[in-house]
Structure formats: structure tokens, C-alpha cells
């Protein structure tokens, strides 16, 4: 095990070079052609059997044969953000940026693949490396990269699946691996409040959708407080409101639109939020207007399998000591790795990668990570995969 960590440190320069290369050449979801090519070349150089074009632009490699099968996943896509960092490896594609750390994930999984491939006496079974496209968004049919890879059979026969995500706000090197829910159900709503336009001086002759909207917003914001079990995590955020036209200060418009996001962990709360948004919009009818509502269901919540999580936590403590394993509050962020954990019991852990004192939030133009964590992440993925392989084998 110490050996594995040492080996991960030995490949650190290579991981940093790969991470910077990918960072400098970011590609949006399902357009990761250069990135996938680079990944496939590196994997082939290790002598692995490689499949490309899996889930559109994903790459899969197999190490070892037979069962059990343990999969490790990294995502490869960037975001439509203009990078503001002045670093030698800054994005060379204006308006596209690795602002979530997926470049680091890809580099760490390549590092793990290298140290595992070069291991002389691996346990029996297969380790499958999944380099996934498009985690951040969906294609025209509403499917994300994880779904597309599953559709193409990438998870077939897999006993366990693991992944990590860097956290630019968590002290570098610390690891968070909670058992149970890890990320939220992410559903969005798009609504139109229909009134009846009129002259601003004669509101009584129409139905003012802006006035109606004000009541609807109150009703929607009451959902979390009044309609959801206080013990169940949930968030409702209205992200957009649009109404009226420029120069229309004396015009009551016909309609206004609003959209927002519904976050929860469990399925029951997920459905309740949807029902309650519809009920809240019903206020529009009570006030003489009407509404249209569209719900777009996104990725489900990630459930970290308790047994797999326990094994990750043991690995952290054995490898880096108890002080590295932290506890903290959960977040209602989303992550499409959830689709994979619905195929096979698995877990994701967070790896602290705070670079410096600057606020470098995810999905922000100043996002960056501390590259010193790359060996730690690669060693964690490799060691956990080995332990899962041995654990799953002993149960067969
Ligand atoms: Zn992200
Ligand atoms: Zn991400």
C-alpha cells in the first residue's frame, strides 16, 4: 500500500503534465474528441485493451479478466466559461474552461491505471477504467454522459463502481466520504403565468401576471418551510423571472415566465416537490389567471453504498491517517455518477484541492486546484479498487 502511494508520487509529474494539457485544451460535453484521443493513447501505451466512442465520446479500458469487476470512473468535460486565471496552462479555447476539475479527475484515473497496470501481482478479476463524457449537461435527447455510457454497456457485469470529485474549497488532501446520500436529485421547472394584458392605469380591466407572480413566488418559497418534512433535505430555488418589455412601465403584460430548480435526496421528497410546485402555481388560477408548467427531471441522487463507503474510509485512514478523513454537512449539488451507482453498488468521495487563499469556486472563472493532490487521488482510486476486488472475490 505504501508502495502504491510511492508509485503514485513517482507518476506525479506525468499526471500534472496531462492535467495541464487537458486544462489548456478544454472541450464541452460530448465534444471531448482531443481529450478522449489523449486518454486512449495513454491507455494503449500501457498495453491495455481500449474501446473508444463509448457513450459517444467516452473511453473504456480493461485491466485483467474475469470476475469480479470493479469500475473506476472519471469525467472529462469542461464548461462554457471564460477562464480568468493567468497561468501557463490557462485555457487556449476562449469561453471554454475546466472549471470543475474534470481535467484533474482524468489525470488521476490515468495515473491509477498506470500504477495498477505496472503492479506485478494483482488480485484476480477485472479493473475497468471509465472515462466519461458530458457530466455537466445533457444531449438533445436529455441524456448525460453517464447515461450514454450505461446505454453502451460500459457498466455491464460491474460489481462495484467508484469515483472521486475534487473540491476547490476543501483544504488540500482532506477526504470526505459520507455513507448514504451524497448528491441530490436535480429537477428543474419552467412555468408561465398567464394573465390578461391591460393599460397600466386600468389594472381592473385585465389580470396582472406580475402581481400574480409575486403571490406565486411566496407560495413556492413556502414549499420547503410548510409542505416538506423538516427532517428531509430539500431546496427550491427560483433562478429566473421574466416579464414585461423595455419601455413597458405603463403596460400590464399578458404573461410572465419563471424557472427554477428542485433539489432533494429521497424519491418521496422528489415527487412531493413537483406536486407542490404545481399546487403553488395554482395560486394564479385563484387570482383569475392561469399557468403552464413543465418539469424537466435531471439526474437522480447519488447514494453511497454503506459497505463500499466503509472500505473507502478504511483506505483513507490506513493510507493517510484518521486526520485526513473529515465529516461535514452534505450538499444538494448534482452529479450524474448517480446513474452508475444505480447500476452497481458504489460510492464517490470528495478530495480537498484548495490551491490558495483565493476563492476559486467550482464553475467560476478563477477555479483552479492544488495539483499536489493528484498522487493522493490516484493512490486512493487504485488502492480502493484493489480492496474492492479482493472483497468482492471473497464473497463469490
Ligand atoms: Zn461541475
Ligand atoms: Zn464536476
Amino acid at each position: 500500500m505504501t508502495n502504491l502511494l510511492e508509485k503514485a508520487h513517482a507518476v506525479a509529474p506525468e499526471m500534472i503534465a496531462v492535467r495541464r494539457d487537458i486544462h489548456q485544451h478544454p472541450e464541452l460535453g460530448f465534444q471531448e474528441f482531443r481529450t478522449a484521443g489523449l486518454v486512449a493513447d495513454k491507455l494503449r501505451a500501457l498495453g491495455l485493451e481500449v474501446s473508444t466512442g463509448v457513450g459517444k465520446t467516452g473511453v473504456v479500458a480493461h485491466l485483467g479478466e474475469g470476475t469480479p469487476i470493479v469500475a473506476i470512473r472519471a469525467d472529462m468535460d469542461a464548461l462554457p466559461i471564460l477562464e480568468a486565471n493567468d497561468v501557463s496552462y490557462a485555457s487556449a479555447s476562449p469561453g471554454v474552461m475546466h472549471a470543475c476539475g474534470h481535467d484533474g479527475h482524468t489525470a488521476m484515473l490515468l495515473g491509477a491505471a498506470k500504477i495498477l497496470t505496472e503492479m506485478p501481482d494483482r488480485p484476480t478479476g477485472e479493473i475497468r477504467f471509465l472515462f466519461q463524457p458530458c457530466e455537466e449537461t445533457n444531449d438533445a435527447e436529455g441524456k448525460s454522459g453517464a447515461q450514454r455510457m450505461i446505454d453502451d454497456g460500459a457498466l455491464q457485469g460491474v460489481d462495484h463502481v467508484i469515483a472521486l470529485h475534487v473540491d476547490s474549497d476543501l483544504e488540500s488532501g482532506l477526504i470526505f466520504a459520507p455513507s448514504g446520500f451524497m448528491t441530490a436529485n436535480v429537477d428543474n421547472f419552467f412555468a408561465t403565468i398567464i394573465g390578461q394584458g391591460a393599460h397600466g392605469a386600468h389594472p381592473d380591466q385585465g389580470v396582472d401576471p406580475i402581481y400574480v407572480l409575486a403571490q406565486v413566488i411566496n407560495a413556492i418559497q413556502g414549499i420547503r418551510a410548510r409542505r416538506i418534512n423538516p427532517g428531509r433535505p430539500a431546496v427550491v430555488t427560483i433562478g429566473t423571472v421574466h416579464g414585461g418589455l423595455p419601455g413597458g412601465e405603463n403596460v400590464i403584460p399578458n404573461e410572465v415566465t419563471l424557472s427554477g430548480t428542485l433539489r432533494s435526496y429521497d424519491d418521496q421528497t422528489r415527487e412531493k416537490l413537483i406536486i407542490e410546485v404545481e399546487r403553488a402555481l395554482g395560486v394564479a388560477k385563484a387570482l383569475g389567471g392561469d399557468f403552464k408548467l413543465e418539469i424537466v427531471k435531471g439526474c437522480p441522487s447519488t447514494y453511497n453504498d454503506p459497505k463500499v463507503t466503509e472500505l473507502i474510509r478504511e483506505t483513507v485512514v490506513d493510507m493517510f491517517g484518521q486526520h485526513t478523513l473529515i465529516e461535514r454537512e452534505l450538499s444538494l449539488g448534482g452529479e450524474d455518477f448517480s446513474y452508475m451507482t444505480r447500476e452497481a453498488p458504489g460510492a464517490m468521495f470528495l478530495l480537498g484541492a484548495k490551491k490558495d487563499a483565493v476563492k476559486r469556486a467550482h464553475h467560476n472563472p478563477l477555479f483552479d486546484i492544488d495539483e499536489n493532490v493528484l498522487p493522493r487521488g490516484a493512490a486512493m482510486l487504485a488502492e480502493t479498487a484493489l480492496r474492492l476486488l479482493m472483497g468482492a472475490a471473497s464473497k463469490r
Side-chain angles (χ1 to χ4, degrees), residues 97 162 167 224 245 297 371 391:
M97 176 190 178
I162 56 166
D167 184 337
R224 162 70 273 190
L245 290 169
K297 279 193 158 186
E371 292 173 328

Side-chain angles (χ1 to χ4, degrees), residues 281-293:
L281 279 157
V283 168
K285 285 193 172 170
L287 295 174
D290 204 349
F291 70 91
K292 282 187 280 191
L293 171 64

Side-chain angles (χ1 to χ4, degrees), residues 75 100 102 105 135-136 165 335:
D75 39 13
C100 201
H102 300 182
H105 302 168
E135 188 282 324
E136 300 281 4
H165 204 300
E335 168 60 68

Side-chain angles (χ1 to χ4, degrees), residues 75-389:
D75 39 13
M76 304 190 290
D77 57 324
L79 288 153
I81 293 174
L82 180 64
E83 177 153 18
N85 291 310
D86 183 18
V87 288
S88 61
Y89 52 88
S91 169
S93 307
V96 186
M97 176 190 178
H98 270 289
C100 201
H102 300 182
D103 49 347
H105 302 168
T106 302
M108 285 186 268
L109 186 52
L110 282 172
K114 183 167 172 123
I115 56 183
L116 285 167
T117 305
E118 288 171 357
M119 235 180 104
D121 43 2
R122 269 188 320 275
T124 51
E126 178 194 327
I127 298 178
R128 197 174 292 175
F129 304 101
L130 308 175
F131 292 88
Q132 182 207 301
C134 198
E135 188 282 324
E136 300 281 4
T137 53
N138 295 328
D139 59 20
E141 282 94 50
K143 290 197 173 185
S144 72
Q147 284 176 291
R148 288 292 176 197
M149 287 197 83
I150 292 165
D151 288 351
D152 278 1
L155 272 286
Q156 231 155 52
V158 168
D159 293 275
H160 293 299
V161 59
I162 56 166
L164 65 71
H165 204 300
V166 292
D167 184 337
S168 63
D169 195 37
L170 177 63
E171 194 185 322
S172 189
L174 295 183
I175 292 172
F176 178 50
S179 188
F181 290 113
M182 169 83 184
T183 66
N185 296 309
V186 179
D187 301 324
N188 294 326
F189 68 90
F190 300 86
T192 303
I193 291 173
I194 302 154
Q196 196 189 332
H199 192 293
H202 303 288
D204 54 303
Q205 293 174 12
V207 175
D208 182 356
I210 292 178
Y211 162 69
V212 173
L213 171 72
Q215 319 308 317
V216 166
I217 288 175
N218 273 332
I220 288 176
Q221 291 305 348
I223 294 173
R224 162 70 273 190
R226 303 288 90 184
R227 303 295 303 166
I228 299 294
N229 180 334
R232 306 277 179 93
V235 170
V236 179
T237 288
I238 298 166
T240 72
V241 166
H242 291 287
L245 290 169
E249 54 273 7
N250 58 357
V251 178
I252 291 171
N254 278 319
E255 56 182 46
V256 296
T257 60
L258 70 159
S259 67
T261 190
L262 310 172
R263 306 291 175 104
S264 58
Y265 281 142
D266 63 279
D267 291 348
Q268 218 185 332
T269 306
R270 182 181 205 179
E271 296 311 318
K272 185 95 194 278
L273 285 173
I274 292 170
I275 292 166
E276 292 298 334
V277 163
E278 185 162 8
R279 191 203 299 272
L281 279 157
V283 168
K285 285 193 172 170
L287 295 174
D290 204 349
F291 70 91
K292 282 187 280 191
L293 171 64
E294 188 195 357
I295 300 283
V296 178
K297 279 193 158 186
C299 63
S301 54
T302 304
Y303 184 80
N304 273 355
D305 177 76
K307 285 193 184 123
V308 175
T309 309
E310 196 45 45
L311 194 133
I312 290 173
R313 294 169 66 91
E314 280 168 22
T315 307
V316 175
V317 174
D318 292 348
M319 215 179 243
F320 308 108
Q322 185 71 51
H323 61 280
T324 296
L325 190 63
I326 59 136
E327 303 302 334
R328 68 171 196 186
E329 281 159 3
L330 292 162
S331 134
L332 287 162
E335 168 60 68
D336 85 337
F337 179 63
S338 56
Y339 290 110
M340 295 191 176
T341 59
R342 290 184 179 216
E343 296 294 309
M348 166 178 268
F349 60 91
L350 291 185
L351 173 63
K354 192 175 173 62
K355 186 182 180 179
D356 48 31
V358 179
K359 181 113 184 100
R360 300 186 182 280
H362 287 252
H363 297 207
N364 179 287
L366 286 175
F367 177 87
D368 203 358
I369 58 165
D370 175 17
E371 292 173 328
N372 294 317
V373 300
L374 299 181
R376 188 167 276 228
M380 268 302 298
L381 292 174
E383 178 65 24
T384 307
L386 288 176
R387 290 185 184 199
L388 283 169
L389 215 49

